[in-house]
Amino acid sequence: MSDLREKIIQTSLELFDRHGFHGVTVKQIVQETNTSKGGFYHHFQSKDELLFVIHDTFITYVLKEAQAANVTHSSPIPKVQAIIQSFVQVFDLYKPHISVFYQESLYLKPAYEEEIKGKRDEFKRMVFNVIEEGQKTGHFRRELPLEITGMAILGMVNWIYKWYRRDGTYTIDQIAEVFTDLVLHFLLPGKEDSGYFRHMLKVPFFYESE
């Protein structure tokens, strides 16, 4: 990605966050980035495409990470952990993008909205597929309704954008460990024993103090 393209994105994120999508003009973006309209239109066809790119960046990231988890791991237990951890991480890596997404997603053009929705739906299917795989193989509790369980995970993680702060008490890595632990506890059958820790990619930080 070129330096100017990245500068336009970062500047637009700040402007959209402060003034809203419709409160910002291409002229303002050009002035704030110290470029020309030619420089802007060299990288983006329109302000609408710029908004789409902002949305698409973090959705593409979580989708690729989920795909990588499926390739890297053969068992659904490490798969779901890797997916949860990368999903949580996105709220730190792309915090401004996500903030703009929730504020301005209504302004996406239909064609862009459809593409974003397609990727979100694909990520949702991948989460559901891992849970279903684990239920079929006996790794996860079979009595849990698939759709409710999948939506519970997605809803729990998506809510991070409402409360996460980089200067908060816990780091994003620690938050990811807590969420992974919660998900494993309600997915894995039976009571906790020493075998539980053998399933984990990493023992969460809060167990170390016990």
Side-chain angles (χ1 to χ4, degrees):
M1 183 182 292
S2 73
D3 291 342
L4 178 57
R5 190 174 191 271
E6 180 61 25
K7 187 176 181 182
I8 290 171
I9 291 172
Q10 293 303 320
T11 301
S12 300
L13 283 167
E14 296 171 7
L15 291 171
F16 292 160
D17 191 41
R18 289 203 306 266
H19 307 294
F21 179 71
H22 284 306
V24 177
T25 64
V26 171
K27 182 179 179 180
Q28 285 176 282
I29 297 170
V30 165
Q31 288 174 339
E32 290 290 329
T33 52
N34 195 28
T35 186
S36 63
K37 282 194 174 182
F40 177 91
Y41 288 113
H42 175 73
H43 294 286
F44 303 98
Q45 295 179 11
S46 63
K47 193 175 70 164
D48 295 305
E49 185 190 24
L50 173 58
L51 183 63
F52 163 74
V53 169
I54 288 170
H55 288 30
D56 186 64
T57 299
F58 71 89
I59 293 170
T60 299
Y61 171 84
V62 293
L63 187 56
K64 285 182 177 178
E65 289 295 311
Q67 291 166 341
N70 265 324
V71 172
T72 304
H73 304 289
S74 57
S75 167
I77 298 177
K79 280 183 189 178
V80 79
Q81 291 178 74
I83 290 172
I84 294 299
Q85 287 166 12
S86 62
F87 191 11
V88 172
Q89 285 283 350
V90 81
F91 289 88
D92 181 71
L93 291 171
Y94 296 106
K95 193 174 189 297
H97 298 66
I98 293 169
S99 176
V100 168
F101 171 79
Y102 282 108
Q103 292 174 27
E104 311 296 340
S105 58
L106 290 174
Y107 301 119
L108 274 176
K109 296 294 184 183
Y112 291 140
E113 184 180 11
E114 190 64 25
E115 189 169 343
I116 294 293
K117 183 179 182 301
K119 289 187 177 182
R120 290 172 67 86
D121 288 346
E122 186 177 350
F123 178 71
K124 174 183 170 182
R125 281 194 299 271
M126 294 185 75
V127 171
F128 279 38
N129 287 343
V130 171
I131 297 169
E132 186 175 31
E133 177 189 348
Q135 289 179 322
K136 286 180 177 178
T137 59
H139 289 96
F140 299 155
R141 293 164 56 195
R142 290 190 173 97
E143 72 274 15
L144 291 172
L146 174 60
E147 186 168 350
I148 295 174
T149 304
M151 293 307 294
I153 292 172
L154 293 172
M156 180 175 71
V157 179
N158 272 322
W159 200 248
I160 290 174
Y161 93 95
K162 279 286 193 180
W163 55 265
Y164 171 65
R165 296 195 332 270
R166 285 173 174 158
D167 61 350
T169 304
Y170 299 103
T171 67
I172 197 68
D173 289 333
Q174 290 174 323
I175 293 168
E177 289 179 19
V178 172
F179 274 57
T180 303
D181 184 74
L182 290 171
V183 170
L184 284 183
H185 268 91
F186 72 67
L187 284 179
L188 294 175
K191 296 180 180 178
E192 179 185 328
D193 56 25
S194 59
Y196 173 76
F197 295 103
R198 290 199 301 271
H199 288 305
M200 304 191 77
L201 296 175
K202 177 184 177 184
V203 176
F205 71 96
F206 49 89
Y207 282 112
E208 296 170 4
S209 61
E210 292 184 353

